[in-house]
DNA sequence: CCTAATTTGCGAATGATTTGCAAAATCATT
DNA sequence: AATGATTTTGCAAATCATTCGCAAATTAGG
């Protein structure tokens, strides 16, 4: 049974994610940490992100340039609204899926098991 | 004005996509072509996929292993239902988004501009 | 056919992510 | 706070998908 140590580097990486609340790549997090004279190796940033994603405390998405980016989020099923202006991500509860599930079943004979949704737009602060 | 030639390799790549109707990586397409003694270089497969995606004739998604995969689809706005059994992808028209847009605006002050949805489940043939 | 424009194939370069391993840090116990 | 087992870190090297450069091959049009 693998124990998990609470280490300084891990705390520093998740602190960045909690503070920024937007999708960040490993390289971006690494750069942010360096700027505040906090030295965490890029490898450790990668490993910590995998760890957080594995525990469901972070969610990953591949951006348009092909880099994997991460954002903090809670474990429960939900979706993300990403602001095109500031990049901030808000958790959105899952509604209006029932009707889609129904349509999928009746129109396509498709039994829905899982789904993913992402929203893009402008947040309140950016308007 | 860049003309676009209709070449044999391009036709062979899109033929595979049209026939399979499921998400395929460049490497998988390349392997499928080799198996039928059709030699198209991996570079050309990549270039053709970019071309098709650019024209909106194919849609890309990054799979769990980090590989970019492509499937044929029409240009109009729609979403995909992917079968967990056979991998086949069906186009699904976009419904039930209005209510989500409303909720986003009223609950989060978020003005929806764009969205992406993906569905996973079991297709009619696989049940 | 001829020529110009475009595409192909190959191998080399790129760039993000992973991995191996010795040294450093963490944790539970004396 | 010293000990020792366990886990993590940092670094550099390895991986692996994707991109690029360029000469040779293919296509389109006359
Ligand atoms: Zn914003
Ligand atoms: Zn949902
Ligand atoms: Zn199926
Ligand atoms: Zn839609």
């Amino acid at each position: 049974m693998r124990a998990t140590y609470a280490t300084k580097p891990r705390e520093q990486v998740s602190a960045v994610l909690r503070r920024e609340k937007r999708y960040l790549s490993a390289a971006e997090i690494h750069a942010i940490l360096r700027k505040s004279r906090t030295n965490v190796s890029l490898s450790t940033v990668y490993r910590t992100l995998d760890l957080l994603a594995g525990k469901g405390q972070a969610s990953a998405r591949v951006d348009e340039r092909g880099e994997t980016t991460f954002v903090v989020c809670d474990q429960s099923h939900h979706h993300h609204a990403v602001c095109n202006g500031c990049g901030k991500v808000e958790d959105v509860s899952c509604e209006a899926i029932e009707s889609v599930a129904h349509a999928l079943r009746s129109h396509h004979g498709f039994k829905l098991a899982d789904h993913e949704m992402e929203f893009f737009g402008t947040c309140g602060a950016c308007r």
Side-chain angles (χ1 to χ4, degrees), chain A residues 3-37:
Chain A
T4 302
Y5 290 1
T7 69
K8 213 167 299 181
R10 284 177 180 167
E11 165 54 25
Q12 286 158 335
V13 169
S14 28
V16 170
L17 283 179
R18 285 195 306 271
R19 186 186 318 134
E20 298 285 340
K21 285 184 170 48
R22 61 196 170 93
Y23 280 103
L24 293 171
S25 69
E28 287 172 320
I29 294 171
H30 187 242
I32 289 173
L33 287 172
R34 293 186 92 197
K35 215 171 284 179
S36 56
R37 305 184 230 70

Side-chain angles (χ1 to χ4, degrees), chain A residues 83-88 90 121-127:
Chain A
C83 177
N84 290 328
C86 63
K88 285 276 192 305
E90 294 182 62
T122 311
C123 79
C126 281
R127 299 176 67 186

Side-chain angles (χ1 to χ4, degrees), chain A residues 13-110:
Chain A
V13 169
S14 28
V16 170
L17 283 179
R18 285 195 306 271
R19 186 186 318 134
E20 298 285 340
K21 285 184 170 48
R22 61 196 170 93
Y23 280 103
L24 293 171
S25 69
E28 287 172 320
I29 294 171
H30 187 242
I32 289 173
L33 287 172
R34 293 186 92 197
K35 215 171 284 179
S36 56
R37 305 184 230 70
T38 310
N39 277 21
V40 176
S41 78
L42 185 55
S43 301
T44 295
V45 175
Y46 272 109
R47 287 185 282 229
T48 302
L49 291 173
D50 285 350
L51 203 64
L52 293 174
K55 292 199 287 181
Q57 294 174 10
S59 169
R61 95 177 283 271
V62 179
D63 71 15
E64 46 290 330
R65 287 194 287 291
E67 285 182 304
T68 304
T69 57
F70 297 81
V71 71
V72 285
C73 69
D74 65 38
Q75 279 90 324
S76 68
H77 174 84
H78 66 278
H79 304 283
H80 289 152
V82 185
C83 177
N84 290 328
C86 63
K88 285 276 192 305
V89 175
E90 294 182 62
D91 285 357
V92 179
S93 79
C94 174
E95 296 144 15
I97 281 299
E98 281 311 312
S99 59
V100 178
H102 236 268
L104 278 170
R105 176 98 67 144
S106 54
H107 291 174
H108 301 276
F110 192 95

